[in-house]
């Protein structure tokens, strides 16, 4: 499974979100390739799931991705709930 994280606050915030997603996946025994990117490069990525902060919703809804929107890059409870729910739907 390929997961891409992207945030409106820039690549650094996308990396923080990536680290949160990596931690959640490890905790739940889920194997996936997680990659951080910026909005400009997300179009060229192959992803089963895109995890993004909500400020990018208008831009990402235009693309053909399974996207889950989280409140921010550091709310691990929100990220965990939404990412795990989205992964269940992919299976």
């Amino acid at each position: 499974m390929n997961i891409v994280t992207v945030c409106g606050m820039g690549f650094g915030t996308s990396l923080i979100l990536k680290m949160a997603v990596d931690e959640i996946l490890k905790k739940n025994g889920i194997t996936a390739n997680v990659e951080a990117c910026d909005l400009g490069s997300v179009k060229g990525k192959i992803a089963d799931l895109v995890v993004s902060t909500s400020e990018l919703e208008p831009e990402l809804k235009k693309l053909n991705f399974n996207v889950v929107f989280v409140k921010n890059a550091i709310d691990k409870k929100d990220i965990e709930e939404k990412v795990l729910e989205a992964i269940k739907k992919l299976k």
Side-chain angles (χ1 to χ4, degrees), residues 5-83:
T5 61
V6 59
C7 297
M9 302 299 285
F11 185 72
T13 310
S14 294
L15 282 173
I16 293 169
L17 182 55
K18 177 203 179 303
M19 291 186 301
V21 171
D22 281 335
E23 183 180 316
I24 290 161
L25 296 177
K26 183 177 180 181
K27 173 182 159 187
N28 288 278
I30 299 169
T31 303
N33 177 42
V34 184
E35 182 180 356
C37 71
D38 58 28
L39 182 59
S41 62
V42 74
K43 292 178 187 175
K45 301 294 179 190
I46 297 172
D48 299 301
L49 179 64
V50 175
V51 181
S52 178
T53 48
S54 58
E55 71 269 6
L56 292 179
E57 191 167 351
E59 291 88 349
L60 291 174
K61 285 223 172 191
K62 297 174 189 174
L63 304 177
N64 190 22
F65 284 115
N66 287 318
V67 183
V68 61
F69 295 100
V70 298
K71 294 176 191 172
N72 58 56
I74 59 172
D75 186 341
K76 289 184 182 175
K77 183 178 179 183
D78 180 55
I79 297 166
E80 183 169 16
E81 288 173 2
K82 291 181 178 169
V83 168

